[in-house]
């Protein structure tokens, strides 16, 4: 008889990685499988397991605390904005060994933490699988790194030999420009070290992909058919989405920040399809000049807006607003530090999402049929914006002016353009339908998920 399945899940300690893996944990647990989830915490000192009482109420998901570090090629553990210094795989292996009732049968780790899976597979009689929170297209690019180096397209540091060329994996996947590779980071003092670490993570993902049986992805065959066909072993089971029917106070599963749910009542007071939702995920930063232009652009649009401004949104100092802005927009806008994003996107008052185009935000907005105004700034965000604007045609890019700034006029103009464009709204509704069908019985993600459950049980 097969052993009772007990899965050990290890996220990368970053918001955009931990949250979708936790959603996967709940989905697995709903099939009666026990999951032990490593709560890696965050630099915000709010481990998400304690962020909501509801998180702990689920019988089949339990949390264990461990801090997991990221090891670069230099052998040092890097401390990153959202990544903590910590222990290495050994501690996790001890944790796994000591788990009983029932004992661990499979370890699922973030694809960028493959070194954990490699050590686990070597030392313990358990199966392993990886989880990819990014697009299958981005993962496919990582998987091509050795070939790209061999062909001289990029050097061993990930720099493209010719800055005027693009990397194309297939006619149906957006190509990558030299400045828009997933390991690219905005220019500042930390750039070189960060790009090195990001390139290491992509190389780790490539090695992991070669060694595991399955890489479970938060995407869908319907969204990325060309990318899904590129490499065997991809198992798109997404989009992974919180239930839209959940009670308003019961969210926050996987959030590193406390959600300000007052914005849901505020949204209730606005007309259907009127609000611009503005959020840049957990790690993107604007400078004060960009914040000022964004503030003016939103105000000038005349539309209601809900704007997420994290306390660390500007690097230099806490963000501030143009003089008199907060008073002038008191009736037009609402600003929160962290929103219950999926509930916001599912709200009937939201018209469009001004977004940094992180992959989770992209999946969440697509699932709700909400169109995008794209403001990508690093890693895979440019490529996600290309999917949004060029392949799915559900969004518009916000373009920089000659001085490198996205101006208030650009923001106001694109909001107007977007809100008057019925074809993009129709495309977004169509993709919402495809997303829903994909995860329902008979859909491609549903079938892939059953395949994964089958793998976990045997
Ligand atoms: N998010 C949220 N509230 C906010 C902003 C973001 O809950 O106010 C969530 C969002 O729903 C998504 C995650 O944070 O699941 C951000 O992930 P994404 O991949 O979009 O961006 P990242 O933070 O990794 O850059």
């Amino acid at each position: 008889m097969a052993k009772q399945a007990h899965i050990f899940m290890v996220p990368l300690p970053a918001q955009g990685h931990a949250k979708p893996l936790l959603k996967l944990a709940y989905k697995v647990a709903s099939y009666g499988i026990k999951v032990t989830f490593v709560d890696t915490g965050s630099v915000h000192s709010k481990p998400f397991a304690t962020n909501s009482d509801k998180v702990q109420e689920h019988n089949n998901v339990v949390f264990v605390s461990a801090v997991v570090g990221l090891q670069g090629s230099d052998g040092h553990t890097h401390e990153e904005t959202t990544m903590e210094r910590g222990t290495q795989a050994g501690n996790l292996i001890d944790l796994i060994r000591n788990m009983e009732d029932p004992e661990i049968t499979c370890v699922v780790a973030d694809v960028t933490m493959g070194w954990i899976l490699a050590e686990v597979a070597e030392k313990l009689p358990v199966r392993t699988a990886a989880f990819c929170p990014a697009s299958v297209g981005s993962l496919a690019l990582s998987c091509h790194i050795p070939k790209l180096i061999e062909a001289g397209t990029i050097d061993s540091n990930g720099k493209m030999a010719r800055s005027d060329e693009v990397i194309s994996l297939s006619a149906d996947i957006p190509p990558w420009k030299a400045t828009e590779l997933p390991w690219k980071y905005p220019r500042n003092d930390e750039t070189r070290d960060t790009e090195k670490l990001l390139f290491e993570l992509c190389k780790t993902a490539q090695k992991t992909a070669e060694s595991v049986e399955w890489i479970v992805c938060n995407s869908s065959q319907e969204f990325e058919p060309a990318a899904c066909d590129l490499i065997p072993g991809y198992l798109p089971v997404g989009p992974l989405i919180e239930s839209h029917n959940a009670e308003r106070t019961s969210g926050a599963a996987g959030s590193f920040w406390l959600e300000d749910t007052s914005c849901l009542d505020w949204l209730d007071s606005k007309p259907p399809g009127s609000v611009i939702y503005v959020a840049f995920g957990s790690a993107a930063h604007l400078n004060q000049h960009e914040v000022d232009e964004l503030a003016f652009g939103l105000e000038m649009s005349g539309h209601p807006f809900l704007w997420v401004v994290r306390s660390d949104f500007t690097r230099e100092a806490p963000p501030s607003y143009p003089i008199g802005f907060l008073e002038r927009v008191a009736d037009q806008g609402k600003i929160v530090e962290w929103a219950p994003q999926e509930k916001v996107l599912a709200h009937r008052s939201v018209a469009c999402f001004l977004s940094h185009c992180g992959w989770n935000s992209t999946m969440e907005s697509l699932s709700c049929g909400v169109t995008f105004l794209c403001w990508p700034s690093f890693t895979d965000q440019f490529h996600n914006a290309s999917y949004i604007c060029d392949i799915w045609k559900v969004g518009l890019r916000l373009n920089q002016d000659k001085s490198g700034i996205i101006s208030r006029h650009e923001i106001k103009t694109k909001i107007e353009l977007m809100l008057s464009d019925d074809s993009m709204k129709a495309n977004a509704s169509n993709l919402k339908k495809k997303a829903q069908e994909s995860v329902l019985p008979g859909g491609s993600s549903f079938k892939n998920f059953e395949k994964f459950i089958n793998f976990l049980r045997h």
Side-chain angles (χ1 to χ4, degrees), residues 29-173:
S30 72
Y31 280 67
I33 294 176
K34 185 170 173 185
V35 180
T36 293
F37 198 92
V38 176
D39 181 351
T40 45
S42 82
V43 285
H44 309 287
S45 309
K46 287 179 197 158
F48 57 64
T50 57
N51 204 341
S52 160
D53 294 343
K54 295 278 175 187
V55 172
Q56 297 182 347
E57 277 177 20
H58 198 296
N59 285 337
N60 284 329
V61 182
V62 294
F63 293 89
V64 287
S65 246
V67 181
V68 180
L70 293 165
Q71 210 170 29
S73 55
D74 53 3
H76 290 110
T77 305
H78 290 256
E79 196 161 30
E80 255 293 295
T81 29
T82 51
M83 301 166 187
E84 286 189 352
R85 185 179 294 276
T87 58
Q88 299 303 313
N91 296 19
L92 289 176
I93 288 176
D94 287 345
L95 260 177
I96 296 168
R97 265 205 190 108
N98 294 331
M99 294 247 153
E100 289 169 356
D101 195 25
E103 59 195 49
I104 299 292
T105 50
C106 180
V107 177
V108 179
D110 191 282
V111 71
T112 57
M113 310 269 277
W115 42 273
I116 287 176
L117 293 177
E119 276 198 55
V120 163
E122 200 185 295
K123 298 194 173 131
L124 298 174
V126 298
R127 307 181 84 179
T128 55
F131 171 70
C132 175
S135 73
V136 176
S138 296
L139 182 60
L141 182 71
S142 293
C143 290
H144 276 76
I145 288 174
K147 283 190 196 142
L148 293 169
I149 294 178
E150 202 182 298
T153 312
I154 57 173
D155 67 17
S156 57
N157 297 315
K159 192 168 179 289
M160 264 174 83
R162 294 197 45 181
S163 58
D164 54 342
E165 278 189 348
V166 295
I167 296 176
S168 174
L169 298 184
S170 145
D172 298 319
I173 303 174

Side-chain angles (χ1 to χ4, degrees), residues 14-17 19-20 23 133 242 252 254-257 259 277-284 308-310 336-342 345 353 355-364 378-381 384:
Q15 180 68 90
H17 291 247
K19 194 173 172 188
K23 289 190 219 170
E242 264 174 27
S255 267
F256 287 172
W257 284 266
E259 294 177 349
Y277 173 54
V278 185
F280 288 77
S282 61
V308 178
V309 182
R310 302 184 323 266
V336 293
E337 198 175 328
W338 193 250
Q341 177 158 303
E342 291 185 55
L345 288 168
F353 184 9
S355 171
H356 73 308
C357 306
W359 187 250
N360 291 291
S361 295
T362 303
M363 288 295 97
E364 291 159 10
F378 62 94
T379 58
D380 59 345
Q381 296 161 14
N384 301 341

